[in-house]
Amino acid sequence: MSLAGKVVAANQINNIQRYRMFEILNHYFDDVRWSSFNKDLNEKDWVILLTEPVKGQIAGFSTLRLIDDVLDDVPLRAFFSGDTIIDLPYRASLVLEKTWIRFAFAHALRNPLFRYYWFLIVNSYRSYRYLPVYAKTYYPNPDYGIPEFERRLLDHLAAKRYGKEYDPHKRVIRLKNSGKLRPGVSDIGKKELRDTRIAFFQQCNPEWMDGVALACLTEISIHNARPAVTRVIGEWE
């Protein structure tokens, strides 16, 4: 089923939209708190809103924050993804990915003096599977280790954002007020474990069922983009 996607400033999201976003999130996660949801949203710069075409009702969203930082005298920016969910009937839609790619790469291409990264935390294999589809190199990765610069950057971003809730040894975040995926939403069984990427995700984050999230990082650049990304950029240009 088709969706429309647009990027909206987070401070422009009204209460009706907030309630609908929370409703979708609460449908797929246990122990989601209204206060935590609003805190996360208030800390973000933008929201990618996905709406169904008939009534314009919100069917999914992803929150975004742009972090400015410097490491080893390298000016960098990192897009940090917060709450992200798409209602089940629309999961086959690629509108979220296309909207995110166009928005993030527009930033990166307009500001070549910065190195751009995508910093995300994932508590489901479905979210982790975005990385190999769209990026040539990403971390953690089952095929190779993380380079020193990226390792320190990932630790720096995660520790700065989550403090003691971040475990730098396992690179996971154990949030005090974290919602857990409801059973059946993104379960990992024998079939899923035949996929080496999913098996690796579970190895890195065996506590995902308890709401624990894995810290991940990839560079946002043309040289790191897979064809799925360059096609979207080509359509946009």
Side-chain angles (χ1 to χ4, degrees):
M1 299 176 70
S2 63
L3 290 174
K6 63 179 179 179
V7 180
V8 180
N11 60 12
Q12 297 299 309
I13 299 295
N14 60 42
N15 286 336
I16 294 175
Q17 292 171 317
R18 283 179 182 249
Y19 287 130
R20 174 57 183 161
M21 291 161 63
F22 179 75
E23 180 182 49
I24 299 173
L25 198 67
N26 189 56
H27 185 71
Y28 295 101
F29 286 83
D30 282 321
D31 304 322
V32 178
R33 301 183 182 184
W34 174 248
S35 58
S36 299
F37 166 77
N38 276 291
K39 182 176 183 293
D40 178 86
L41 182 55
N42 291 339
E43 291 175 347
K44 297 301 184 293
D45 298 309
W46 304 280
V47 178
I48 298 176
L49 283 182
L50 308 177
T51 56
E52 56 85 22
V54 179
K55 296 182 179 180
Q57 186 177 45
I58 295 173
F61 67 93
S62 181
T63 63
L64 282 176
R65 180 182 176 186
L66 186 61
I67 302 168
D68 279 277
D69 217 319
V70 176
L71 185 65
D72 294 347
D73 296 323
V74 177
L76 57 91
R77 287 175 171 173
F79 277 105
F80 171 59
S81 293
D83 290 333
T84 300
I85 194 70
I86 303 176
D87 207 6
L88 183 59
Y90 303 92
R91 292 279 170 85
S93 170
L94 296 177
V95 172
L96 173 60
E97 293 93 319
K98 289 183 176 181
T99 306
W100 190 96
I101 288 168
R102 289 166 183 160
F103 186 73
F105 273 84
H107 259 271
L109 294 173
R110 284 199 305 262
N111 298 282
L113 296 180
F114 293 88
R115 287 178 66 177
Y116 273 76
Y117 288 87
W118 183 22
F119 167 48
L120 66 159
I121 65 170
V122 297
N123 58 5
S124 80
Y125 76 86
R126 295 182 186 277
S127 298
Y128 180 74
R129 284 287 295 162
Y130 279 125
L131 292 167
V133 172
Y134 297 107
K136 294 177 182 177
T137 59
Y138 59 92
Y139 314 101
N141 191 298
D143 298 324
Y144 43 79
I146 181 168
E148 179 64 15
F149 180 84
E150 281 75 11
R151 180 192 65 77
R152 290 190 294 112
L153 175 58
L154 181 56
D155 285 343
H156 171 72
L157 292 172
K160 187 175 181 179
R161 175 67 179 83
Y162 294 104
K164 293 182 179 179
E165 293 178 317
Y166 176 60
D167 180 345
H169 301 291
K170 296 184 177 180
R171 295 199 177 90
V172 297
I173 298 98
R174 298 183 179 89
L175 296 171
K176 294 178 182 178
N177 299 315
S178 175
K180 297 179 288 187
L181 283 165
R182 295 184 185 274
V185 173
S186 193
D187 294 352
I188 297 178
K190 292 181 179 179
K191 177 183 176 181
E192 287 76 19
L193 288 174
R194 287 197 286 268
D195 185 316
T196 58
R197 309 287 171 177
I198 298 175
F200 178 74
F201 167 76
Q202 175 145 292
Q203 176 187 337
C204 291
N205 185 19
E207 301 172 88
W208 64 268
M209 288 179 290
D210 298 320
V212 175
L214 179 67
C216 301
L217 185 75
T218 187
E219 187 173 2
I220 299 172
S221 64
I222 294 297
H223 77 265
N224 194 39
R226 288 202 178 274
V229 172
T230 55
R231 282 196 298 270
V232 172
I233 295 173
E235 293 170 2
W236 166 47
E237 292 177 339

